[in-house]
Amino acid sequence: MNTWSIGRRLTLLLAGVAALLSVLSWGMVTSLAQQAAERTQDNVLAASATTIAETLRSEQGEVRLELPYSAFSMLGAIGQDRVFYRVTAGAELLTGYEDLPPPSAALTPGAVTFDTGSYRDEEIRMASLTRLVLAGPGPVPVTVSVAQTRSGVARISAELSRTAALFSVAFFVVAVGLSAFAARASLRPLNEIAAAVSRRGPSDLRPLRRAAPAELVPLMSSLNRLMDRLGQSIRRSEDFIAEAAHRVRTPLATVRTQAEIALRTVRDETEKQRLRGIIRAVDESSRSAGQLLDHATVAFRAEDLSRDPVDLAELAAQTVAALEPTAAMKDIRLRLEAERAMVRGDAVLLDNALRNVLDNAIKYSPEDTTVVLRIERNGREARLTVRDEGPGLGDGPVEALTERFRRGTNTGGIVGSGLGLTIARDVLQAHGGHLHLATAEGGQGTCVTLALPLS
């Protein structure tokens, strides 16, 4: 399976295209440069031969010729190659190199023909033309051939080829850089969508509304449909939990009432102990069902969180008052030390969080102890600290205690659902706060801090 990123694959693909274009451009430039150099040499050879032919004349029935300097100086302008020439009148050599190869094809008067061959172990290029000169009883065909070695043309072609190669390499390097930039720019909308999704909270399943290229519209539509289906599934699960908790609490209340009535009527001490055990089990089951309902409520309300002004001191006082009867059954004193601290949030959810933390403190504290709830301002935060004198947090990792249905290693014999701290953590995260667990000073008891940003 290819795990390379789309950006890398796109960059490599564009770099491959750039490399192919660079090679093709180098080949084309080299070919054109060679053709241009050869054409230039042919034009100079033709001009040189024509210049020599124009000096032909007839004197006293004989062909006369003066070799012009300009005819050969033109050839020297394109390189340091050797130059050979030959001028013949009919079969008679007038001047030049006698062993220079003759033209390979019949010549038409006034037309220049070109040949490529070998002379004195060197490759040459030769231009030839024929001119009719009136000498003697009739016109005499005079053939002028001018040849030049090709090393200069080859050198010029090689230099142009090297220059073209340098430009091709530079083009490839620039194209690769532009390809990487183009790949990143093309993928920027996809990265922005990924960043927008990653910034969301775990319960934020709102449809993604962003301007995006047409190619990404199907992806966003599929993602929104997936989040919608996921949200519906979560809501159905929460509704089921809430309904189940509600339906369990009602018959449990009936069982508890009947058990209390029976407890008042029986005389046998053994039967009383059994009834007290039933009542205790019913209370714990009812409490677990209540926490399940609280958890479902938190998950539901956190999606559309209200931001109302909440006085934490007033909220804490109401929560303490509601739990004092429960604490009094174990002779536990609830002490509130609060200063005014205003936050913005959902009062119902904040009450749930504080109630669950206080309920845990009461449940795990021994009889005839004190649970202290302190509210103080610390910079831009309001901190609600609940300290008890219970067994502490146990030996396991503290972070695991906020997971659902996770309890400490030292809670044996105490019935609980493992949802109290989970509810508190979810409520604080929804409000932009955090939950902190620590062992109380002196190593005895637990210190739970609920931190919320001040309004």
Side-chain angles (χ1 to χ4, degrees), residues 40-117:
T40 300
Q41 186 181 37
D42 287 350
N43 292 337
V44 174
L45 286 171
S48 179
T50 301
T51 302
I52 294 174
E54 289 176 348
T55 63
L56 293 170
R57 66 184 185 277
S58 175
E59 291 183 1
Q60 299 178 358
E62 294 183 355
V63 178
R64 292 288 183 263
L65 170 69
E66 291 183 5
L67 292 176
Y69 172 76
S70 60
F72 300 103
S73 63
M74 288 187 295
L75 292 171
I78 63 172
Q80 302 298 322
D81 289 318
R82 299 174 62 188
V83 179
F84 309 98
Y85 66 94
R86 185 180 66 179
V87 182
T88 59
E92 179 185 357
L93 177 68
L94 296 180
T95 184
Y97 295 84
E98 184 178 4
D99 56 346
L100 188 67
S104 61
L107 300 178
T108 301
V112 180
T113 61
F114 297 93
D115 292 289
T116 301

Side-chain angles (χ1 to χ4, degrees), residues 79-281:
Q80 302 298 322
D81 289 318
R82 299 174 62 188
V83 179
F84 309 98
Y85 66 94
R86 185 180 66 179
V87 182
T88 59
E92 179 185 357
L93 177 68
L94 296 180
T95 184
Y97 295 84
E98 184 178 4
D99 56 346
L100 188 67
S104 61
L107 300 178
T108 301
V112 180
T113 61
F114 297 93
D115 292 289
T116 301
S118 177
Y119 179 63
R120 295 187 181 181
D121 299 328
E122 290 189 74
E123 186 179 8
I124 61 171
R125 182 70 170 172
M126 184 173 69
S128 303
L129 66 85
T130 296
R131 182 180 178 186
L132 296 178
V133 180
L134 293 175
V140 178
V142 179
T143 301
V144 179
S145 296
V146 179
Q148 187 180 33
T149 57
R150 309 200 68 188
S151 58
V153 172
R155 185 168 56 255
I156 293 173
S157 299
E159 291 176 357
L160 292 175
S161 178
R162 284 193 297 271
T163 303
L166 291 176
F167 277 111
S168 297
V169 171
F171 168 77
F172 173 73
V173 172
V174 173
V176 169
L178 293 177
S179 299
F181 174 77
R184 286 195 297 269
S186 300
L187 294 176
R188 186 175 296 117
L190 183 60
N191 295 331
E192 291 175 352
I193 291 174
V197 174
S198 63
R199 286 194 298 267
R200 293 190 172 193
S203 60
D204 189 354
L205 298 176
R206 293 171 299 159
L208 192 62
R209 308 293 186 192
R210 292 184 65 88
E215 294 80 3
L216 294 180
V217 171
L219 174 62
M220 292 182 59
S221 299
S222 300
L223 182 61
N224 287 336
R225 287 196 297 270
L226 174 62
M227 289 194 294
D228 182 61
R229 292 196 299 270
L230 181 59
Q232 292 177 3
S233 177
I234 292 175
R235 284 191 292 271
R236 284 195 296 267
S237 299
E238 293 169 352
D239 292 342
F240 172 78
I241 293 173
E243 184 66 21
H246 176 71
R247 291 186 177 275
V248 167
R249 293 174 71 178
T250 300
L252 285 177
T254 303
V255 172
R256 191 183 193 285
T257 302
Q258 295 297 327
E260 287 181 345
I261 295 173
L263 182 61
R264 296 191 186 100
T265 57
V266 298
R267 302 293 183 183
D268 185 65
E269 190 61 31
T270 303
E271 293 296 329
K272 287 184 177 182
Q273 291 296 330
R274 290 176 181 173
L275 288 172
R276 290 191 183 97
I278 292 173
I279 293 173
R280 180 172 178 272

Side-chain angles (χ1 to χ4, degrees), residues 328-448:
M329 294 177 63
K330 295 178 63 176
D331 294 328
I332 294 176
R333 295 171 296 280
L334 299 180
R335 190 171 74 223
L336 176 62
E337 302 173 357
E339 62 176 290
R340 184 180 176 82
M342 297 297 297
V343 299
R344 286 194 171 273
D346 191 317
V348 175
L349 294 186
L350 293 174
D351 176 69
N352 268 338
L354 184 55
R355 184 184 298 269
N356 276 279
V357 172
L358 276 176
D359 189 60
N360 274 351
I362 294 170
K363 182 173 64 174
Y364 292 112
S365 293
E367 296 182 355
D368 196 18
T369 56
T370 301
V371 175
V372 179
L373 170 59
R374 178 179 292 109
I375 300 176
E376 57 187 355
R377 301 161 64 96
N378 186 354
R380 296 184 178 181
E381 281 187 340
R383 293 188 177 182
L384 294 81
T385 303
V386 178
R387 187 176 69 249
D388 61 47
E389 301 177 21
L393 299 173
D395 299 327
V398 175
E399 294 78 9
L401 298 179
T402 60
E403 298 177 6
R404 287 192 301 175
F405 309 116
R406 291 291 296 270
R407 305 182 66 202
T409 58
N410 57 349
T411 59
I414 302 177
V415 178
S417 63
L419 283 173
L421 293 179
T422 304
I423 294 171
R425 179 203 62 188
D426 292 348
V427 170
L428 292 174
Q429 287 181 350
H431 286 79
H434 59 89
L435 181 72
H436 179 69
L437 304 177
T439 301
E441 296 180 3
Q444 181 66 30
T446 302
C447 185
V448 180

Side-chain angles (χ1 to χ4, degrees), residues 39 47 117 224 286 306-307 438:
R39 191 178 300 113
N224 287 336
S286 179
S306 61
R307 295 289 182 177

